[in-house]
Coordinates of all heavy atoms in Angstrom, one line a residue:
M1 N -19.7 -56.6 7.2 CA -20.9 -57.3 7.1 C -21.4 -57.2 5.7 O -21.3 -56.1 5.1 CB -21.9 -56.8 8.2 CG -23.2 -57.5 8.2 SD -24.2 -56.9 9.6 CE -25.3 -58.2 9.6
G2 N -22.0 -58.2 5.2 CA -22.6 -58.2 3.9 C -23.6 -59.2 3.6 O -23.9 -60.1 4.5
L3 N -24.2 -59.1 2.5 CA -25.2 -60.1 2.0 C -24.8 -60.6 0.7 O -24.4 -59.9 -0.2 CB -26.6 -59.3 1.9 CG -27.8 -60.2 1.6 CD1 -28.1 -61.1 2.7 CD2 -29.0 -59.3 1.3
V4 N -24.8 -62.0 0.6 CA -24.3 -62.6 -0.6 C -25.4 -63.5 -1.2 O -26.1 -64.2 -0.5 CB -23.0 -63.5 -0.3 CG1 -22.6 -64.3 -1.5 CG2 -21.9 -62.6 0.3
R5 N -25.6 -63.4 -2.5 CA -26.5 -64.2 -3.2 C -25.8 -64.9 -4.4 O -25.1 -64.2 -5.2 CB -27.7 -63.4 -3.8 CG -28.6 -64.3 -4.6 CD -29.7 -63.4 -5.3 NE -30.5 -62.8 -4.3 CZ -31.5 -62.0 -4.7 NH1 -31.7 -61.6 -5.9 NH2 -32.2 -61.4 -3.7
L6 N -25.9 -66.2 -4.4 CA -25.3 -67.0 -5.5 C -26.4 -67.8 -6.2 O -27.2 -68.5 -5.5 CB -24.2 -67.9 -5.0 CG -23.0 -67.3 -4.3 CD1 -22.0 -68.3 -3.7 CD2 -22.2 -66.4 -5.3
A7 N -26.3 -67.9 -7.5 CA -27.2 -68.7 -8.3 C -27.0 -70.2 -8.1 O -25.9 -70.6 -7.7 CB -27.1 -68.4 -9.8
A8 N -27.9 -71.0 -8.4 CA -27.8 -72.5 -8.3 C -26.6 -73.0 -9.0 O -26.3 -72.6 -10.1 CB -29.1 -73.1 -8.9
G9 N -25.8 -73.8 -8.3 CA -24.6 -74.4 -8.9 C -23.4 -73.4 -9.0 O -22.3 -73.9 -9.5
A10 N -23.5 -72.2 -8.6 CA -22.4 -71.3 -8.6 C -21.3 -71.7 -7.7 O -21.6 -72.1 -6.5 CB -22.9 -69.8 -8.3
L11 N -20.0 -71.6 -8.1 CA -18.9 -71.9 -7.3 C -18.3 -70.6 -6.6 O -18.1 -69.7 -7.3 CB -17.8 -72.6 -8.2 CG -16.4 -72.7 -7.5 CD1 -16.5 -73.8 -6.4 CD2 -15.3 -73.1 -8.5
H12 N -18.2 -70.7 -5.4 CA -17.4 -69.7 -4.6 C -16.0 -70.2 -4.5 O -15.8 -71.2 -3.8 CB -18.0 -69.4 -3.3 CG -17.6 -68.2 -2.6 ND1 -16.4 -68.0 -2.0 CD2 -18.2 -66.9 -2.6 CE1 -16.2 -66.8 -1.6 NE2 -17.3 -66.1 -1.9
P13 N -15.0 -69.6 -5.2 CA -13.7 -70.2 -5.3 C -12.9 -70.3 -4.0 O -13.3 -69.8 -2.9 CB -13.0 -69.2 -6.2 CG -13.7 -67.9 -6.1 CD -15.1 -68.2 -5.7
L14 N -11.9 -71.1 -4.1 CA -11.0 -71.4 -2.9 C -10.5 -70.1 -2.3 O -10.0 -69.3 -3.0 CB -9.8 -72.3 -3.3 CG -8.9 -72.8 -2.2 CD1 -9.8 -73.7 -1.2 CD2 -7.8 -73.6 -2.8
H15 N -10.7 -70.0 -1.0 CA -10.3 -68.8 -0.3 C -10.1 -69.1 1.2 O -10.4 -70.2 1.7 CB -11.4 -67.7 -0.4 CG -12.7 -68.1 0.2 ND1 -13.6 -69.0 -0.3 CD2 -13.3 -67.7 1.4 CE1 -14.6 -69.1 0.4 NE2 -14.4 -68.4 1.5
E16 N -9.4 -68.2 1.9 CA -9.3 -68.4 3.3 C -9.5 -67.0 4.0 O -9.4 -65.9 3.3 CB -7.9 -68.9 3.7 CG -6.7 -67.9 3.5 CD -5.4 -68.5 3.9 OE1 -5.3 -69.7 4.0 OE2 -4.5 -67.8 4.0
H17 N -9.9 -67.1 5.2 CA -10.3 -65.8 5.9 C -9.1 -65.4 6.7 O -8.4 -66.1 7.3 CB -11.5 -66.2 6.8 CG -12.7 -66.7 6.0 ND1 -13.5 -65.9 5.4 CD2 -13.1 -67.9 5.8 CE1 -14.4 -66.6 4.7 NE2 -14.1 -67.8 4.9
L18 N -9.0 -64.0 6.7 CA -7.8 -63.4 7.4 C -8.1 -63.2 8.9 O -7.2 -63.0 9.7 CB -7.5 -62.0 6.7 CG -7.2 -62.1 5.2 CD1 -7.0 -60.7 4.7 CD2 -6.1 -63.0 4.9
G19 N -9.4 -63.3 9.2 CA -9.8 -63.3 10.6 C -11.1 -64.1 10.7 O -11.4 -64.8 9.8
E20 N -11.7 -64.1 11.8 CA -12.9 -64.9 12.0 C -14.0 -64.5 11.1 O -14.1 -63.4 10.7 CB -13.4 -64.8 13.5 CG -12.4 -65.4 14.5 CD -13.0 -65.3 15.9 OE1 -14.1 -64.8 16.1 OE2 -12.2 -65.6 16.8
E21 N -14.9 -65.5 10.7 CA -16.0 -65.3 9.9 C -17.3 -65.9 10.5 O -17.1 -67.0 11.1 CB -15.8 -65.8 8.5 CG -17.0 -65.7 7.6 CD -17.0 -66.7 6.5 OE1 -16.8 -67.9 6.7 OE2 -17.4 -66.3 5.3
A22 N -18.4 -65.3 10.4 CA -19.7 -65.9 10.8 C -20.7 -65.7 9.7 O -20.8 -64.6 9.1 CB -20.2 -65.4 12.1
I23 N -21.4 -66.7 9.3 CA -22.5 -66.6 8.3 C -23.7 -67.2 8.9 O -23.8 -68.1 9.7 CB -22.1 -67.2 7.0 CG1 -22.1 -68.7 7.1 CG2 -20.8 -66.7 6.4 CD1 -22.4 -69.4 5.8
I24 N -24.9 -66.7 8.4 CA -26.2 -67.3 8.6 C -26.8 -67.4 7.2 O -26.9 -66.5 6.5 CB -27.1 -66.6 9.6 CG1 -28.3 -67.4 9.8 CG2 -27.3 -65.2 9.2 CD1 -29.2 -66.9 10.9
V25 N -27.2 -68.7 6.9 CA -27.9 -68.9 5.6 C -29.3 -68.5 5.7 O -30.0 -69.0 6.6 CB -27.7 -70.4 5.2 CG1 -28.5 -70.7 3.9 CG2 -26.2 -70.8 5.0
L26 N -29.7 -67.6 4.9 CA -31.1 -67.1 4.9 C -32.1 -67.9 4.0 O -33.2 -68.0 4.3 CB -31.1 -65.6 4.5 CG -30.2 -64.7 5.4 CD1 -30.2 -63.3 4.8 CD2 -30.7 -64.7 6.8
A27 N -31.5 -68.4 2.9 CA -32.4 -69.1 1.9 C -31.4 -70.1 1.2 O -30.3 -69.8 0.9 CB -33.0 -68.2 1.0
G28 N -32.0 -71.2 0.7 CA -31.2 -72.2 -0.1 C -30.1 -72.8 0.8 O -30.3 -73.1 2.0
G29 N -29.0 -73.1 0.2 CA -27.8 -73.7 0.9 C -26.7 -73.9 0.0 O -26.7 -73.5 -1.2
Y30 N -25.6 -74.5 0.5 CA -24.4 -74.8 -0.3 C -23.8 -76.1 0.3 O -24.0 -76.5 1.4 CB -23.5 -73.6 -0.2 CG -22.9 -73.2 1.1 CD1 -21.8 -73.9 1.6 CD2 -23.4 -72.2 1.8 CE1 -21.3 -73.5 2.8 CE2 -22.9 -71.8 3.0 CZ -21.8 -72.5 3.5 OH -21.3 -72.1 4.7
L31 N -22.9 -76.6 -0.6 CA -22.1 -77.8 -0.2 C -20.7 -77.3 -0.1 O -20.0 -76.8 -1.0 CB -22.2 -78.9 -1.3 CG -21.4 -80.1 -1.0 CD1 -21.9 -80.8 0.2 CD2 -21.4 -81.1 -2.2
D32 N -20.1 -77.4 1.1 CA -18.7 -76.9 1.4 C -17.8 -78.0 0.8 O -18.1 -79.2 0.7 CB -18.5 -76.8 2.9 CG -17.3 -76.1 3.2 OD1 -17.3 -74.9 3.3 OD2 -16.2 -76.8 3.4
S33 N -16.5 -77.5 0.5 CA -15.5 -78.4 -0.1 C -15.1 -79.5 0.9 O -14.5 -80.5 0.5 CB -14.3 -77.6 -0.5 OG -13.8 -76.8 0.6
A34 N -15.4 -79.3 2.2 CA -15.1 -80.3 3.2 C -16.1 -81.5 3.2 O -16.0 -82.5 3.9 CB -15.0 -79.7 4.6
G35 N -17.2 -81.3 2.3 CA -18.2 -82.4 2.1 C -19.5 -82.3 2.9 O -20.3 -83.1 2.8
Y36 N -19.7 -81.2 3.6 CA -20.9 -81.1 4.4 C -21.8 -80.0 3.8 O -21.3 -79.0 3.1 CB -20.6 -80.8 5.9 CG -19.9 -79.5 6.1 CD1 -20.6 -78.3 6.2 CD2 -18.5 -79.6 6.3 CE1 -19.9 -77.1 6.5 CE2 -17.8 -78.4 6.5 CZ -18.5 -77.2 6.6 OH -17.8 -76.0 6.9
A37 N -23.1 -80.1 4.0 CA -24.1 -79.1 3.5 C -24.5 -78.2 4.6 O -24.5 -78.5 5.8 CB -25.3 -79.8 3.0
V38 N -24.7 -76.9 4.2 CA -25.2 -75.9 5.1 C -26.5 -75.3 4.5 O -26.5 -75.0 3.3 CB -24.2 -74.8 5.3 CG1 -24.7 -73.7 6.2 CG2 -22.8 -75.3 5.7
T39 N -27.5 -75.3 5.2 CA -28.9 -75.0 4.7 C -29.5 -73.8 5.5 O -29.0 -73.4 6.5 CB -29.8 -76.2 4.7 OG1 -29.9 -76.7 6.0 CG2 -29.3 -77.3 3.8
A40 N -30.6 -73.3 5.0 CA -31.3 -72.2 5.5 C -31.5 -72.4 7.0 O -31.9 -73.4 7.5 CB -32.7 -72.0 4.8
G41 N -31.2 -71.3 7.8 CA -31.3 -71.3 9.2 C -30.1 -71.7 10.0 O -30.0 -71.5 11.2
Q42 N -29.1 -72.3 9.2 CA -27.8 -72.7 9.9 C -26.8 -71.6 10.0 O -26.8 -70.7 9.1 CB -27.3 -73.8 9.2 CG -28.0 -75.2 9.4 CD -27.3 -76.3 8.8 OE1 -27.1 -76.4 7.6 NE2 -26.9 -77.3 9.6
V43 N -26.1 -71.6 11.0 CA -25.0 -70.6 11.3 C -23.6 -71.4 11.1 O -23.6 -72.5 11.7 CB -25.1 -70.0 12.6 CG1 -23.9 -69.0 12.9 CG2 -26.3 -69.2 12.8
E44 N -22.7 -70.8 10.4 CA -21.4 -71.4 10.3 C -20.4 -70.4 10.7 O -20.4 -69.2 10.4 CB -21.1 -71.9 8.9 CG -19.8 -72.6 8.8 CD -19.5 -73.3 7.5 OE1 -20.2 -72.9 6.5 OE2 -18.7 -74.2 7.5
R45 N -19.4 -70.8 11.5 CA -18.3 -70.0 11.9 C -16.9 -70.6 11.4 O -16.8 -71.8 11.4 CB -18.2 -69.9 13.4 CG -19.4 -69.2 14.1 CD -19.2 -69.0 15.5 NE -20.4 -68.6 16.3 CZ -21.1 -67.5 16.1 NH1 -20.7 -66.6 15.2 NH2 -22.2 -67.2 16.8
R46 N -16.0 -69.8 11.0 CA -14.7 -70.2 10.6 C -13.6 -69.4 11.2 O -13.7 -68.2 11.4 CB -14.6 -70.0 9.0 CG -15.4 -71.0 8.3 CD -14.8 -71.2 6.9 NE -15.5 -72.3 6.3 CZ -15.1 -73.6 6.3 NH1 -13.9 -73.9 6.8 NH2 -15.8 -74.5 5.7
R47 N -12.6 -70.1 11.6 CA -11.4 -69.5 12.1 C -10.5 -68.9 11.0 O -10.6 -69.4 9.9 CB -10.6 -70.4 13.0 CG -11.3 -70.8 14.2 CD -10.3 -71.6 15.1 NE -11.0 -72.9 15.3 CZ -10.4 -73.9 15.8 NH1 -9.1 -74.0 16.0 NH2 -11.0 -75.1 16.0
A48 N -9.7 -68.0 11.3 CA -8.7 -67.4 10.3 C -7.9 -68.5 9.8 O -7.5 -69.4 10.5 CB -7.9 -66.3 11.0
G49 N -7.5 -68.4 8.5 CA -6.6 -69.3 7.9 C -7.1 -70.7 7.5 O -6.4 -71.6 7.2
T50 N -8.5 -70.8 7.5 CA -9.1 -72.1 7.1 C -9.5 -72.0 5.7 O -10.6 -71.4 5.4 CB -10.3 -72.4 8.0 OG1 -9.9 -72.3 9.4 CG2 -10.8 -73.7 7.8
P51 N -8.8 -72.6 4.7 CA -9.2 -72.5 3.3 C -10.3 -73.4 3.0 O -10.5 -74.5 3.5 CB -7.9 -73.0 2.5 CG -7.1 -73.8 3.5 CD -7.5 -73.3 4.9
H52 N -11.2 -72.9 2.1 CA -12.4 -73.7 1.7 C -13.0 -73.1 0.4 O -12.7 -71.9 0.1 CB -13.4 -73.9 2.8 CG -14.2 -72.7 3.1 ND1 -15.6 -72.7 2.9 CD2 -13.9 -71.5 3.4 CE1 -16.1 -71.5 3.2 NE2 -15.1 -70.7 3.5
S53 N -13.8 -73.8 -0.3 CA -14.7 -73.3 -1.3 C -16.0 -73.9 -1.1 O -16.2 -74.8 -0.2 CB -14.1 -73.7 -2.7 OG -14.1 -75.1 -2.9
F54 N -17.0 -73.5 -1.9 CA -18.3 -74.1 -1.8 C -19.1 -73.9 -3.1 O -18.8 -73.0 -3.8 CB -19.1 -73.7 -0.6 CG -19.3 -72.2 -0.5 CD1 -20.4 -71.6 -1.1 CD2 -18.4 -71.4 0.3 CE1 -20.6 -70.2 -1.0 CE2 -18.6 -70.0 0.3 CZ -19.7 -69.4 -0.3
V55 N -20.1 -74.7 -3.3 CA -21.0 -74.7 -4.4 C -22.4 -74.4 -4.0 O -22.9 -75.2 -3.1 CB -20.9 -76.0 -5.3 CG1 -21.9 -75.9 -6.4 CG2 -19.5 -76.2 -5.8
A56 N -23.1 -73.5 -4.5 CA -24.5 -73.2 -4.2 C -25.3 -74.4 -4.5 O -25.1 -75.0 -5.6 CB -25.0 -71.9 -4.9
G57 N -26.3 -74.7 -3.7 CA -27.3 -75.8 -3.9 C -28.2 -75.5 -5.1 O -28.2 -74.5 -5.8
P58 N -29.1 -76.5 -5.3 CA -30.0 -76.4 -6.5 C -31.0 -75.2 -6.4 O -31.5 -74.8 -7.5 CB -30.8 -77.7 -6.4 CG -30.6 -78.3 -5.1 CD -29.3 -77.7 -4.6
D59 N -31.2 -74.6 -5.3 CA -32.0 -73.4 -5.1 C -31.2 -72.2 -5.0 O -31.7 -71.1 -4.7 CB -33.0 -73.6 -3.9 CG -33.9 -74.7 -4.1 OD1 -34.4 -74.9 -5.3 OD2 -34.2 -75.4 -3.1
G60 N -29.9 -72.3 -5.2 CA -29.0 -71.1 -4.9 C -28.8 -70.9 -3.4 O -29.2 -71.7 -2.6
V61 N -28.2 -69.8 -3.1 CA -28.0 -69.5 -1.6 C -28.0 -68.0 -1.4 O -27.5 -67.3 -2.3 CB -26.7 -70.2 -1.1 CG1 -25.5 -69.6 -1.8 CG2 -26.6 -70.1 0.4
V62 N -28.6 -67.6 -0.3 CA -28.5 -66.2 0.2 C -28.0 -66.3 1.6 O -28.6 -67.1 2.4 CB -29.9 -65.5 0.1 CG1 -29.7 -64.1 0.7 CG2 -30.4 -65.5 -1.3
F63 N -26.9 -65.6 1.9 CA -26.4 -65.6 3.3 C -25.9 -64.3 3.7 O -25.4 -63.4 2.9 CB -25.4 -66.7 3.5 CG -24.2 -66.6 2.7 CD1 -23.1 -65.9 3.2 CD2 -24.0 -67.3 1.6 CE1 -21.9 -65.8 2.4 CE2 -22.9 -67.3 0.8 CZ -21.8 -66.5 1.2
A64 N -26.0 -64.0 5.0 CA -25.4 -62.8 5.6 C -24.1 -63.2 6.2 O -23.9 -64.4 6.7 CB -26.3 -62.3 6.8
V65 N -23.1 -62.4 6.1 CA -21.7 -62.7 6.5 C -21.1 -61.6 7.3 O -21.4 -60.4 7.0 CB -20.8 -63.1 5.3 CG1 -20.7 -61.9 4.3 CG2 -19.5 -63.5 5.7
V66 N -20.4 -61.9 8.3 CA -19.6 -60.9 9.1 C -18.2 -61.4 9.0 O -17.9 -62.5 9.5 CB -20.1 -60.9 10.6 CG1 -19.3 -59.9 11.4 CG2 -21.6 -60.5 10.6
L67 N -17.3 -60.6 8.5 CA -15.9 -60.9 8.4 C -15.1 -60.0 9.3 O -15.4 -58.8 9.4 CB -15.4 -60.6 6.9 CG -15.9 -61.5 5.8 CD1 -15.4 -60.9 4.5 CD2 -15.3 -62.9 6.0
R68 N -14.0 -60.6 9.9 CA -13.1 -59.8 10.6 C -11.8 -59.8 9.8 O -11.3 -60.8 9.4 CB -12.9 -60.3 12.0 CG -14.1 -60.2 12.9 CD -13.7 -60.7 14.3 NE -14.8 -60.6 15.2 CZ -15.0 -59.5 15.9 NH1 -14.2 -58.5 15.9 NH2 -16.1 -59.5 16.7
E69 N -11.3 -58.7 9.5 CA -10.1 -58.5 8.7 C -10.2 -58.6 7.2 O -9.7 -57.8 6.5 CB -8.9 -59.3 9.3 CG -8.6 -59.0 10.7 CD -7.4 -59.6 11.2 OE1 -6.4 -59.7 10.5 OE2 -7.4 -60.0 12.4
G70 N -10.8 -59.7 6.7 CA -11.0 -59.8 5.3 C -10.9 -61.2 4.8 O -10.9 -62.2 5.6
V71 N -10.7 -61.4 3.5 CA -10.6 -62.7 2.9 C -9.6 -62.7 1.7 O -9.3 -61.6 1.2 CB -12.0 -63.1 2.3 CG1 -12.5 -62.1 1.2 CG2 -12.1 -64.5 1.8
A72 N -8.9 -63.8 1.6 CA -7.9 -63.9 0.5 C -8.3 -65.1 -0.4 O -8.5 -66.2 0.1 CB -6.5 -64.2 1.1
F73 N -8.5 -64.8 -1.7 CA -8.7 -65.8 -2.7 C -7.4 -66.4 -3.1 O -6.4 -65.7 -3.3 CB -9.5 -65.2 -3.9 CG -10.9 -64.8 -3.5 CD1 -11.2 -63.5 -3.1 CD2 -11.9 -65.7 -3.5 CE1 -12.4 -63.2 -2.7 CE2 -13.2 -65.4 -3.2 CZ -13.5 -64.1 -2.8
L74 N -7.4 -67.7 -3.2 CA -6.1 -68.4 -3.4 C -5.9 -68.8 -4.9 O -6.8 -69.2 -5.6 CB -6.1 -69.7 -2.5 CG -6.3 -69.5 -1.0 CD1 -6.3 -70.8 -0.3 CD2 -5.3 -68.5 -0.4
G75 N -4.6 -68.6 -5.3 CA -4.2 -69.0 -6.6 C -3.9 -70.5 -6.7 O -4.0 -71.2 -5.7
P76 N -3.4 -71.0 -7.8 CA -3.2 -72.4 -8.1 C -2.2 -73.0 -7.2 O -2.2 -74.2 -6.9 CB -2.9 -72.5 -9.6 CG -2.5 -71.1 -10.0 CD -3.2 -70.2 -9.1
D77 N -1.2 -72.2 -6.7 CA -0.2 -72.7 -5.8 C -0.5 -72.4 -4.3 O 0.4 -72.5 -3.5 CB 1.2 -72.1 -6.2 CG 1.6 -72.5 -7.6 OD1 1.3 -73.7 -7.9 OD2 2.2 -71.8 -8.3
G78 N -1.7 -72.0 -4.0 CA -2.1 -71.7 -2.7 C -1.7 -70.3 -2.2 O -1.9 -70.0 -1.0
E79 N -1.2 -69.5 -3.1 CA -0.8 -68.2 -2.7 C -2.0 -67.2 -2.6 O -3.0 -67.5 -3.2 CB 0.3 -67.6 -3.7 CG -0.3 -67.1 -5.0 CD -0.6 -68.2 -6.1 OE1 -0.5 -69.4 -5.7 OE2 -0.9 -67.8 -7.2
H80 N -1.9 -66.1 -1.9 CA -3.0 -65.1 -1.8 C -3.0 -64.4 -3.2 O -2.2 -63.5 -3.4 CB -2.7 -64.2 -0.7 CG -3.0 -64.8 0.6 ND1 -3.0 -64.1 1.8 CD2 -3.4 -66.0 1.0 CE1 -3.3 -64.8 2.8 NE2 -3.5 -66.1 2.4
A81 N -3.9 -64.7 -4.1 CA -3.9 -64.1 -5.4 C -4.7 -62.8 -5.3 O -4.3 -61.8 -6.0 CB -4.6 -65.0 -6.4
V82 N -5.8 -62.7 -4.6 CA -6.5 -61.5 -4.4 C -6.9 -61.4 -3.0 O -7.4 -62.3 -2.4 CB -7.8 -61.5 -5.3 CG1 -8.7 -60.3 -5.0 CG2 -7.5 -61.6 -6.8
V83 N -6.6 -60.2 -2.4 CA -6.9 -60.0 -1.0 C -7.8 -58.8 -0.8 O -7.6 -57.8 -1.3 CB -5.6 -59.7 -0.1 CG1 -5.9 -59.4 1.3 CG2 -4.6 -60.9 -0.3
L84 N -8.9 -59.1 -0.1 CA -9.9 -58.1 0.2 C -9.9 -57.8 1.7 O -10.2 -58.8 2.4 CB -11.3 -58.5 -0.3 CG -11.4 -58.8 -1.8 CD1 -12.8 -59.4 -2.1 CD2 -11.1 -57.6 -2.7
R85 N -9.5 -56.6 2.1 CA -9.5 -56.3 3.5 C -10.7 -55.5 3.9 O -11.2 -54.7 3.2 CB -8.2 -55.5 3.8 CG -7.0 -56.3 3.7 CD -5.8 -55.9 4.5 NE -4.7 -56.7 4.4 CZ -4.4 -57.8 5.1 NH1 -5.2 -58.1 6.1 NH2 -3.3 -58.5 4.9
V86 N -11.2 -55.8 5.1 CA -12.3 -55.1 5.7 C -11.8 -53.7 6.1 O -10.7 -53.6 6.6 CB -12.8 -55.8 6.9 CG1 -13.9 -55.0 7.6 CG2 -13.3 -57.2 6.6
S87 N -12.6 -52.7 5.7 CA -12.2 -51.3 6.0 C -11.9 -51.1 7.5 O -12.7 -51.6 8.4 CB -13.3 -50.4 5.5 OG -13.0 -49.0 5.9
G88 N -10.8 -50.5 7.8 CA -10.4 -50.3 9.2 C -9.7 -51.4 9.8 O -9.3 -51.3 11.0
A89 N -9.5 -52.5 9.1 CA -8.8 -53.6 9.7 C -7.3 -53.5 9.5 O -6.8 -52.8 8.7 CB -9.3 -55.0 9.1

């Protein structure tokens, strides 16, 4: 579980989740690479293996996140370039 804050216009790079993920946006919002916006008060869930990126909105974004297993940031060929595993997973 963690708390993430991104400045306005900040890019969260292409990544995929190694397990399920749930977030709740506490302030601001972001535009997901799939083309939809997520704003304060909304909850988003993702299944493992779903790659995406997002850009923080004009007010930035603050969200709480719960990860199962971890996250893999993807390189230019879609490979797992950096893998962060949740402790105990």
Side-chain angles (χ1 to χ4, degrees):
M1 182 172 195
L3 186 65
V4 177
R5 177 188 294 177
L6 297 173
L11 171 68
H12 194 282
L14 186 62
H15 63 284
E16 68 181 19
H17 302 280
L18 304 177
E20 293 178 7
E21 175 202 47
I23 70 152
I24 182 167
V25 177
L26 304 172
Y30 63 84
L31 180 63
D32 192 88
S33 57
Y36 61 87
V38 181
T39 59
Q42 290 185 295
V43 174
E44 184 174 20
R45 297 187 192 294
R46 289 205 170 261
R47 288 188 239 166
T50 308
H52 74 122
S53 63
F54 57 87
V55 176
D59 297 322
V61 64
V62 177
F63 60 89
V65 60
V66 177
L67 289 173
R68 292 186 180 265
E69 297 190 41
V71 64
F73 291 91
L74 304 179
D77 295 325
E79 78 280 8
H80 286 185
V82 175
V83 176
L84 303 173
R85 292 206 177 268
V86 174
S87 178

